[in-house]
């Protein structure tokens, strides 16, 4: 049975998929048997064209395509709204089951969130499901991906505080599109000063690899909740 890590972000399009692909690639290079899972994805016609397909391709994952993702919606809107339009609303039992299948096969599983930390996945007469319900159900700690630029301090602090308010663990922050400006360097320092979270990696534009050492990577998955 493998360990998982939940990759969230300060919003949509911040680079969760891009960074997750680099994390998976780095882990594979270090010899970790790594898999990927995403519960719900909207705005793609097929798994291949989706975040899941991207990570599989970049990191050369040997994982079967159908096990990467549980719910695929075509409209590029929040999954709860896409499910209203397209049907097929999320069942938490299916997410648990599908994730469990990936965990059985891989030592480490990178679980990518949808949107930012507040993301309704299903909101109908029968049930209300939010992203945080998945994090709780799968017993995962989180990692925050954020854009390194202006606004990073506010966005990361709000995300970290929200996680704390829900009693969800956070292992640290990866700053994306980092161009080494004095402001971005200060953002990194201030995020740690304010939230206490470590900056685990800095990802430049168009990076092919992630500068992160093996022990740090492994430690993100340690000390699992029971
Ligand atoms: N460091 C980077 N260098 C170059 N392009 C990047 C970088 N980070 C992200 N991108 C590009 O920006 C776009 C958004 O990134 P990505 O899809 O990873 O965001 P996301 O947070 O996963 O979004 P979503 O909420 O839709 O899952 C993509 O086209 C991606 O290739
Ligand atoms: Mg994504």
């Amino acid at each position: 049975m493998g360990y998982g890590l939940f990759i969230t972000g300060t919003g949509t399009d911040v680079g969760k998929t891009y960074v997750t692909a680099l994390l998976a690639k780095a882990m594979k290079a270090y010899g970790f048997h790594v898999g990927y899972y995403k519960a719900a994805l909207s705005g793609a016609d097929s798994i291949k064209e989706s975040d899941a397909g991207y990570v599989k391709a970049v990191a050369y994952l040997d994982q079967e395509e159908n096990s990467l993702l549980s719910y695929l919606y075509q409209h590029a809107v929040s999954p709860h709204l896409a499910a209203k339009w397209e049907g097929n609303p999320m069942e938490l039992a299916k997410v648990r089951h599908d994730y469990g299948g990936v965990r059985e096969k891989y030592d480490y599983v990178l679980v990518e969130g949808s949107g930012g930390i507040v993301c309704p996945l299903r909101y109908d007469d029968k049930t209300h499901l939010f992203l945080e319900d998945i994090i709780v159900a799968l017993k995962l700690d989180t990692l925050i991906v954020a854009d390194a630029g202006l606004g990073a301090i506010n966005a990361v602090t709000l995300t970290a505080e929200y996680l704390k308010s829900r009693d969800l663990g956070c292992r640290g922050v990866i700053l994306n599109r980092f161009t080494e400006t004095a402001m971005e360097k200060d953002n990194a320092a201030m995020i740690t000063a304010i939230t206490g979270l470590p900056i685990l990696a800095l990802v430049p534009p168009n990076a092919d690899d992630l500068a992160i050492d093996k022990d740090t990577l492994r430690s993100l998955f340690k000390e699992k909740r029971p």
Side-chain angles (χ1 to χ4, degrees):
M1 261 304 192
Y3 296 139
L5 179 69
F6 191 90
I7 315 296
T8 188
T10 51
T12 192
D13 279 342
V14 293
K16 294 183 300 295
T17 302
Y18 194 91
V19 169
T20 301
L22 295 184
L23 276 166
K25 193 175 165 190
M27 292 183 73
K28 268 196 78 173
Y30 284 131
F32 295 116
H33 195 216
V34 60
Y36 173 93
Y37 176 71
K38 180 153 175 158
L41 189 146
S42 37
D45 287 329
S46 69
I47 294 180
K48 204 178 212 72
E49 295 162 34
S50 75
D51 292 1
Y54 177 84
V55 174
K56 177 174 158 72
V58 169
Y60 296 101
L61 299 184
D62 60 9
Q63 196 176 337
E64 198 194 322
E65 211 169 73
N66 283 337
S67 70
L68 299 163
L69 177 70
S70 291
Y71 291 90
L72 177 65
Y73 302 107
Q74 291 184 347
H75 291 88
V77 296
S78 173
H80 82 285
L81 186 57
K84 276 185 187 166
W85 292 347
E86 300 173 27
N88 195 23
M90 179 179 286
E91 299 284 351
L92 201 51
K94 178 174 167 59
V95 170
R96 268 202 204 93
H97 172 270
D98 291 356
Y99 170 68
V102 183
R103 252 187 92 190
E104 265 171 28
K105 290 201 182 112
Y106 294 89
D107 297 333
Y108 300 92
V109 185
L110 295 164
V111 182
E112 184 184 340
S114 310
I117 190 60
V118 182
C119 181
L121 298 168
R122 173 174 180 174
Y123 205 88
D124 57 27
D125 294 343
K126 209 174 141 207
T127 193
H128 294 171
L129 272 181
F130 285 81
L131 198 62
E132 61 211 59
D133 298 316
I134 290 188
I135 304 173
V136 171
L138 305 185
K139 300 188 174 79
L140 296 168
D141 277 353
T142 62
L143 182 157
I144 300 170
V145 176
D147 190 280
L150 194 61
I153 297 172
N154 174 62
V156 173
T157 303
L158 289 176
T159 302
E161 286 297 320
Y162 191 86
L163 288 168
K164 224 187 277 177
S165 78
R166 297 298 193 266
D167 200 24
L168 297 169
C170 184
R171 295 308 179 103
V173 178
I174 292 185
L175 292 180
N176 190 28
R177 299 188 180 97
F178 184 77
T179 59
E180 296 186 50
T181 65
M183 181 199 67
E184 290 170 357
K185 287 179 188 168
D186 182 70
N187 282 348
M190 288 307 291
I191 284 168
T192 296
I194 294 169
T195 66
L197 294 171
I199 304 295
L200 300 165
L202 301 165
V203 181
N206 303 313
D208 288 325
D209 292 295
L210 197 65
I212 188 164
D213 66 68
K214 189 176 181 179
D215 290 341
T216 303
L217 267 177
R218 197 204 309 266
S219 73
L220 300 178
F221 293 81
K222 260 199 239 155
E223 296 163 45
K224 288 299 308 153
R225 298 169 184 208

